[in-house]
Amino acid sequence: MVTGDLFYSPTMSESVDNRNGNKHDEYNNTHPDDVDWKLPIAFNKPRHTATIEGVNCITQTWRMKERMKTVSVALVLCLNVGVDPPDVVKTQPCARLECWIDPQLMSPQKALEMIGKNLQLQYERWQPRARYKQSLDPTVEEVKKLCTSLRRNAKEERVLFHYNGHGVPKPTSNGEIWVFNRVSRLASLIFHCRITYTQYIPLSVYDLQTWMGAPSIYVYDCSNAGIIVDSFQQFAEQHEREYEMEKQAVQHNRTAGVASATAPSYKNCIQLAACAASQILPMNPDLPADIFTACLTTPITIALRWFVMQNTSKLVPKVSLDLIDKIPGQLSDRRTMLGELNWIFTAITDTIAWNTLPRDLFQRLFRQDLLVASLFRNFLLAERILRSYDCTPVSFPKLPPTFQHPMWQAWDLALDLSLAQLAAVLESETLFVHSPFFEEQLTAFQVWLTLGSKSRNPPEQLPIVLQVLLSQVHRLRALELLGKFLDLGPWAVNLALSVGIFPYVLKLLQSNARELRPLLVFIWAKILAVDSTCQADLVRDHGHKYFLSVLQDPTIPSEHRTLAAFVLASIVNNYPAGQEAALKGSLVSICLEQLGDPNPLLRQWLCLCLARLWHNYDAARWCGVRDIAHEKLYTLLQDPIPEVRAAAVYALGTFINSVTKRSEHANNIDQIIAMTLINTVSHDMSPLVRKELVVALQWMVLHFENSFVTLAVAEENSRRDPVVETLSPFTGQSSFGNLPSLSYGSVYMKLWHGLCSLDSDPHPSVATMSQKVTNHIRNQVKECSVPKEVTEAKLPSISLPPSPSSRASFLTKGESLPTVSATSEILRPPRVPLHGSRTRKTPPINTITEEADEVLGFKNPLTTSLFVEWNCAQFAQPVSLESETESTNDIESRAHYEREWRYLRNKKQRRDAKEEQIRVARGRLESQVFHTRSPQPPEVVTFHPFDKHLAVAAKDCFGIWDWQTGTRLTYCTSRGSKMARVTALGFINSHDVALLMTGSDDGSVRIWKNYCNMLGRDPTLLTAWQALADAQPASKSPSAGVPGSTVHNSASAGLITSWEQRSLTLAVTGDVRIVRLWDAETELKKQDIPTGADICATCLDTDGSGTLMALGCGDGSVRLFDRRLPPHEARVMTWREHTAWVLGAYFRGTATGAPRLITGSLSGDIRFFDLRKNSSVNTVQTAQGITAMAVHNVADIFTCASMNQCISVYNMSGQNLNAIKSYEGFMGTRIGPVSCLNFHPYRVVLAAGCMDSSVSVYASEPRR
């Protein structure tokens, strides 16, 4: 007997009393009802709860398909100064100003020229680079010549046609405007006198369309201008009809002519008309005659005049029209009064348009062409002013009415506040006080952000935020608010981009202000997460340098450096120009220097950034080789965060695939990387990591395809080779596994075995991906016909790989052997001596490598994952605001209320169960409250602690029953191998939203959510992994031949598990010589603790606090471990008092606080151990030979099932309380041989599964 009191630690007794989950600590602690709130929750990270997919949002709607520019402007003025048109009777006095010039103050010809010159200057303010041509009082021929000339020079760009018809008759209903004839023009020019007659010539809009072509924009400043708009559309349709007729004629007779290449698009031309078809222009002498033109080209001047004339100004009753002309400043200088008013006007009209117009129309009119945008902004003012004089400006496309929009009141207030200080400012410009307009609008935007959501209307201040970015005074606040808005989701990003935010934030990257850095990297991360095409704009404007400087600055918080890493990863993603620019900026070294940063998200994105940088980019790979990037990434393969490990695997995979020209050096590096991956992460607990492993290894298969095909051919031949068939039955164990250094051939062998192992991965997604890779090779084997002799000649020193099977494969760098079942035979010696493969240098092995080198260039992947896209999508979702439905920190959220309800339910059930626990010591446990038949004989049963769920495992299936109502909730397969049976069941997070854990005897563990088929949805596999891969197998149990045993005659315990909720640890053992501890938080193997026994482990229990662990073995020994000690020193006690297979080991607390362990064996002896003593303190002998036992967690009872089909219930003193021999009911039949027993964690309720496929539940009742 090993060990004794020397190994005892005072903390042992404490640890047993600190149990959680299904244990009894709630009844001994001072505040037991708070335990649920303190327990952590496993498998609830986004990688478990979210779908691994990319961002799903509409992109590119904001970016114009084609930008357009108005390159030519035709200014056609038909004024005939001094002569009124015959169809208009003007008032006296009358509006006279044209382009703010009074024509009566100079000669008619000079006035005409001055007006033309002024009009051009007014337009040049909006489009200074356009080509302007004036046509003053023209003839039809001059108009034709002008229009055709401008169209020819403009090519596909836009041409503007401005028509002032104040000196000619109104347009006709036939669609004609008026110009002059040559005679009247000549007389006027020759005699320099006013002639008494004028001949007006009509010009058809149909002809004008033909000359102007498309795209074009027309401005009509004349009475009845709406007629022109109506006629224009009719003629546009006529043009289309004629085009179709001509096209058909050409098709009938191809020699008759050739139709024009493209259909006319006159219907898409833009038109702005001063008034409707039946209206005449206002003649108020205080207004200019060309009021419509004034609104379109000098909006601030006319707006000020009109505002003063309205008598609505409250603060400035004494401002005159003359004083308005003295307002100081320049329109382009926002620091002056005039410039600030122009800035405010631009913001307000943009806001009105954005909030009123459909998005596509707003993009077309206000973002496609600078001149068109300016004209339409000013058109909104024209509508407001002209409607006050009973005129309705008309446009095409037609705009909704905007003259009563609330933002006009903000404009009036801004004018009022500015004019109120005009007198003082004229005396001294230093007294000018800037308008609070933008500050107030930002406050309104902030209020919306506080109260707004996706379901509400978008914030109307968004265009104003764009304008504020131009101001250094409010820029910081505007960027902060913009960032909060973009954080609302992809819809908000698309909305901001549609407003036109992009060029502004792009220009801000030129700023050196450090205070803007966090805001700009956040904003750009949001933009690139939704629309990655912005990468080209950033590289073109050298914006990537900004993010490189942020990433390499250690003084910047890691959160912001993470955003910079994501932006850079987006810039280099499948964009060679971005990769080249980033490599020149030393991105490789910048990332490698920070791989040890404490922030896991930064580590993750540094890996992904590197991966995208050297993806298909050889120069970046060799830069990484020089900096030993691959070796630095190895350390992250054991990172505590699964996403970081997956990112590191992905980076190493793209590293392998980035070679454009193969060489021996490159091949050596890739082989080392592949072997490191297969030995490190092939049995990672997280399927996320294993998926990336398959994606990474596929590049080895594709680049060294010939080698793998040769191996697969050998594998195919080995199935027909009787000598090879005598090799080890374990898959994946290469005969080269024990070598310190591997030859080329054995590298490919090891990789092939690793992929074959992943073919049968417990997680179906991993298995499917791996099968795509291996099937690619196997399909080629089927297609080729390589003679067996040739294959064997190629591989004289390579151990042939066994074929894949349903068992897991075991790969390791060490000398440990794979897990073996009890039915497996002893390993036979390998076919080829191990030393042979190390010493022989045969040409065929080198040939394998060289064959792969022949195929160069980039390969198309066989399988892909959405891991990287999913990580990118995280930046598109809110990161600073938690979802209302998911946030449990918000005590007002639904999730918090649901959790609170569950914890109150748990508290009540624990309290209600106390009476049963006390009463049962004097009562009986024989009332059958549930009975059903399972489709197959049950092997494991377990209760949910708080829901009325009974989980049953039978062969490779599990089922859930409601044991109160008798309803079967679900019954499904565990998705493992048909040969594997489920030997372990358990509930994880049982205090909250529970998950079901199933463990199979092939070493696989699966975690299921929605296990009870809630709302008609099938159970969903949350995660799965191979828990005992590469573990050394244990020997056969001597208990295999126990007489009368019906349960354990296979001598295989299968998989044994014990779950600790408090430490989120899963202890796993079985037919192996270790106990493996898995950390559910990091999804990594914590440690392997040797059992010290050559026999299989049969039962396992943990104390719940992460300290003690008890193990029962097939030889009857019971072993106690202290997990705080090093693995090889962890076994602190061994009791060898049982002589047969140990059926159960259970930690229990006592009233005195002394820890206790209860064990039972097949022989029927139940022993009670004080953990401080080296022998049992009590023994209860039950029936000779038992098949199952169970001990209640809290109540002082235990139960045994004897081989004579009887369940006996005992108290802790060994007194037999009652026996259950038959099922209830009339002439109840005898129960079948019992295969499994289990108590409810709190209720005094017992579940029993029998070999006749029946499952029963028995409850306690008072002794009569």
Side-chain angles (χ1 to χ4, degrees), residues 401-414:
T402 60
F403 67 101
Q404 290 182 327
H405 195 279
M407 287 302 294
W408 286 121
Q409 297 177 12
W411 170 241
D412 290 342
L413 177 61

Side-chain angles (χ1 to χ4, degrees), residues 131 145 147-156 159 211:
R131 182 184 183 193
K145 183 179 178 181
C147 293
T148 53
S149 169
L150 292 180
R151 169 49 59 198
R152 185 170 54 253
N153 293 324
K155 298 180 181 178
E156 300 300 321
V159 177
W211 303 334

Side-chain angles (χ1 to χ4, degrees), residues 206 210 238-264 266:
Y206 177 89
T210 307
Q238 181 179 339
H239 272 289
E240 290 183 0
R241 288 194 300 269
E242 291 173 355
Y243 170 81
E244 291 297 329
M245 292 171 62
E246 183 182 355
K247 184 178 178 182
Q248 292 175 7
V250 170
Q251 289 175 349
H252 286 298
N253 183 12
R254 297 186 178 276
T255 61
V258 179
S260 58
T262 57
Y266 302 122

Side-chain angles (χ1 to χ4, degrees), residues 188 319 410 677 686 836 937 940 1124 1144 1207 1245:
S188 175
V319 173
L677 287 173
S686 173
V940 188
R1124 296 166 297 183
I1207 301 173
V1245 177

Side-chain angles (χ1 to χ4, degrees), residues 746-996:
S746 57
V747 167
Y748 299 129
M749 180 77 74
K750 190 88 168 179
L751 296 177
W752 179 249
H753 289 168
L755 284 166
C756 292
S757 163
L758 291 166
D759 281 354
S760 54
D761 191 275
H763 199 285
S765 298
V766 180
T768 302
M769 292 172 66
S770 179
Q771 287 162 13
K772 289 180 181 178
V773 179
T774 55
N775 287 341
H776 171 74
I777 297 298
R778 292 192 178 109
N779 290 338
Q780 294 191 50
V781 172
K782 292 177 183 178
E783 294 170 3
C784 69
S785 55
V786 181
K788 181 178 178 182
E789 293 78 10
V790 176
T791 305
E792 290 178 345
K794 277 192 173 185
L795 295 169
S797 63
I798 297 178
S799 175
L800 300 178
S803 59
S805 70
S806 59
R807 297 286 294 179
S809 60
F810 307 94
L811 298 168
T812 178
K813 290 185 289 185
E815 298 181 354
S816 61
L817 295 173
T819 307
V820 61
S821 67
T823 57
S824 301
E825 297 183 3
I826 299 174
L827 275 172
R828 304 202 179 184
R831 183 180 176 186
V832 181
L834 296 180
H835 61 80
S837 64
R838 296 181 60 185
T839 57
R840 293 180 61 187
K841 298 181 180 179
T842 57
I845 292 180
N846 291 331
T847 303
I848 292 176
T849 308
E850 290 169 0
E851 288 174 358
D853 297 344
E854 297 173 4
V855 183
L856 300 176
F858 302 122
K859 310 282 188 177
N860 291 323
L862 301 171
T863 183
T864 57
S865 73
L866 293 174
F867 169 71
V868 180
E869 290 78 4
W870 173 66
N871 279 289
C872 293
Q874 307 298 313
F875 288 94
Q877 302 304 322
V879 293
S880 62
L881 301 172
E882 290 186 326
S883 169
E884 295 177 3
T885 56
E886 295 297 327
S887 173
T888 53
N889 296 325
D890 180 6
I891 61 173
E892 297 295 330
S893 68
R894 177 175 177 176
H896 181 87
Y897 284 134
E898 289 176 352
R899 177 165 291 176
E900 188 175 39
W901 175 87
R902 285 191 293 268
Y903 292 175
L904 289 172
R905 173 204 63 180
N906 301 351
K907 171 183 174 181
K908 182 178 185 300
Q909 291 192 17
R910 283 191 290 257
R911 187 174 60 242
D912 294 345
K914 286 184 179 180
E915 184 181 347
E916 285 185 31
Q917 297 160 6
I918 298 171
R919 187 181 65 203
V920 73
R922 304 185 304 276
R924 301 169 66 85
L925 186 64
E926 60 183 2
S927 176
Q928 182 177 300
V929 295
F930 169 78
H931 179 78
T932 190
R933 284 198 174 272
S934 172
Q936 296 163 313
E939 297 190 36
V940 188
V941 291
T942 188
F943 284 99
H944 188 288
F946 306 107
D947 289 326
K948 306 304 178 185
H949 296 161
L950 177 66
V952 179
K955 291 190 177 179
D956 63 333
C957 303
F958 68 89
I960 305 293
W961 275 265
D962 186 322
W963 59 270
Q964 272 200 339
T965 64
T967 307
R968 186 171 80 175
L969 302 177
T970 188
Y971 192 85
C972 66
T973 62
S974 185
R975 293 188 187 172
S977 165
K978 289 291 183 184
M979 302 297 293
R981 58 191 177 94
V982 179
T983 59
L985 279 179
F987 288 101
I988 294 176
N989 304 336
S990 58
H991 64 298
D992 203 85
V993 180
L995 306 171
L996 181 68

